[in-house]
Amino acid sequence: MFNKSNQTKPTLDTNRIPKHIAIIMDGNGRWAQKRHLPRIAGHRQGMETVKTITKAASKLGVQVLTLYAFSTENWKRPTDEVSFLMSLPVKFFDNFVPELIENNVQVKVMGVIDQLPTQTQRAVHRAIADTSQCTGMILNFALNYGSRLDIRMAVQQIGSEVKSGQIEPDKIDDQMITDHLMTNFLGKLSDPDLLIRTSGEERVSNFLLWQIAYSELVFTNVLWPDFNEQTLTNMILTYQHRDRRYGGLKTSK
Ligand code: FPP
């Protein structure tokens, strides 16, 4: 990655910054465990990383940053940990919305919001409203999100439109499915260009399964609380060395 002959760091091609980056923020628990701290200390530090990476991504010109903050499977964790994770959006938005506005960042949230504790729902709706006039990067939290649930709900919706005669089954195409998913508000940017997972795990864990069909997947051993602007830059450099062919033969360079 680095040019050993003159020790200069490679620089990012500012014309090829991924428009949509999605991140599976993993490793909070292990970060805490290494320090003999409770797991929630890792989540608290992970929240600080969210602030750092939001500002860094916005500065780099990323248009959408989608963060997997809580999956539909995360309810299986101990009650104390779930409660703490549910309190994080409240803390985060209470404290960080002014800076988001300063950075012209617009907050969006996708997932089953009405199953969240009332306080969390309120914080989420307030942050969305408070940043609705911002026109820069979209910070999209996946909260109580699961991709199979998203696809199932889309299929149910399309099924009922077929049943009522609004659409013919043979008119169902990729675009129609895309338009029925929770990322539909992102329009042309609904599919991530780059999917990052931290902490050395190499799985997609029910995240954006339809949308990552042609995303570049980049994995790092860095634990989420240790992820920083330099790690993000390195991930984007890796992405910029990939040749995206979308099943074809022509190189994108
Ligand atoms: C996975 O690490 C992480 C989560 C399930 C939670 C992610 C949440 C944050 C990073 C904070 C979110 C902040 C806001 C503002 C909502 P893990 O606990 O599974 O780590 P481990 O695999 O090391 O145990």
Side-chain angles (χ1 to χ4, degrees):
M1 296 264 291
F2 295 94
N3 181 345
K4 285 188 182 135
S5 57
N6 58 13
Q7 297 297 308
T8 54
K9 286 183 182 175
T11 46
L12 285 177
D13 177 350
T14 51
N15 295 315
R16 291 183 62 227
I17 299 294
K19 291 187 175 73
H20 181 173
I21 300 180
I23 308 184
I24 302 175
M25 309 179 288
D26 198 7
N28 293 348
R30 277 163 283 167
W31 182 92
Q33 201 177 16
K34 273 170 60 178
R35 289 162 178 77
H36 308 287
L37 294 169
R39 291 178 56 80
I40 61 167
H43 295 314
R44 192 181 293 118
Q45 195 56 40
M47 180 183 76
E48 294 307 316
T49 304
V50 171
K51 294 179 186 172
T52 308
I53 296 308
T54 298
K55 286 187 278 191
S58 159
K59 200 172 75 184
L60 285 169
V62 172
Q63 295 180 37
V64 181
L65 179 65
T66 298
L67 301 178
Y68 206 7
F70 193 88
S71 77
T72 44
E73 287 73 37
N74 286 151
W75 296 106
K76 293 182 208 153
R77 294 187 176 213
T79 323
D80 284 3
E81 185 171 342
V82 169
S83 302
F84 188 79
L85 286 169
M86 286 298 142
S87 74
L88 280 183
V90 182
K91 288 191 184 73
F92 178 83
F93 292 128
D94 269 2
N95 170 271
F96 196 52
V97 162
E99 257 190 271
L100 288 173
I101 295 171
E102 232 171 79
N103 286 276
N104 199 22
V105 172
Q106 192 184 352
V107 172
K108 294 282 187 186
V109 178
M110 62 177 191
V112 188
I113 305 305
D114 58 12
Q115 282 175 0
L116 300 175
T118 317
Q119 278 248 58
T120 315
Q121 289 190 42
R122 262 198 227 119
V124 156
H125 289 306
R126 201 179 316 126
I128 293 171
D130 288 351
T131 60
S132 64
Q133 301 304 313
C134 296
T135 54
M137 188 181 82
I138 294 174
L139 173 61
N140 179 31
F141 282 103
L143 205 51
N144 196 18
Y145 172 86
S147 188
R148 286 186 170 180
L149 171 71
D150 192 9
I151 293 169
R152 172 155 44 93
M153 285 166 52
V155 170
Q156 285 169 346
Q157 180 61 35
I158 293 170
S160 67
E161 288 168 28
V162 168
K163 194 175 171 200
S164 68
Q166 285 167 267
I167 49 175
E168 290 295 322
D170 60 3
K171 290 284 180 300
I172 300 169
D173 58 9
D174 286 2
Q175 190 57 48
M176 187 180 291
I177 295 169
T178 295
D179 291 345
H180 282 78
L181 293 172
M182 292 179 189
T183 39
N184 59 3
F185 68 92
L186 294 170
K188 283 193 167 67
L189 296 177
S190 68
D191 296 352
D193 301 291
L194 168 61
L195 173 73
I196 296 171
R197 182 171 190 146
T198 59
S199 89
E201 309 292 346
E202 300 189 352
R203 303 185 278 277
V204 290
S205 298
N206 201 15
F207 192 39
L208 302 171
L209 300 178
W210 173 270
Q211 295 89 335
I212 60 170
Y214 285 101
S215 303
E216 293 299 327
L217 311 186
V218 179
F219 302 101
T220 171
N221 289 331
V222 174
L223 304 175
W224 178 250
D226 291 328
F227 197 90
N228 58 27
E229 189 166 357
Q230 187 56 55
T231 337
L232 178 66
T233 303
N234 291 343
M235 303 286 97
I236 298 176
L237 277 168
T238 303
Y239 165 86
Q240 292 187 341
H241 283 94
R242 300 272 176 91
D243 184 15
R244 301 188 79 190
R245 293 193 295 274
Y246 301 94
L249 295 176
K250 272 179 75 183
T251 117
S252 60
K253 286 174 202 162

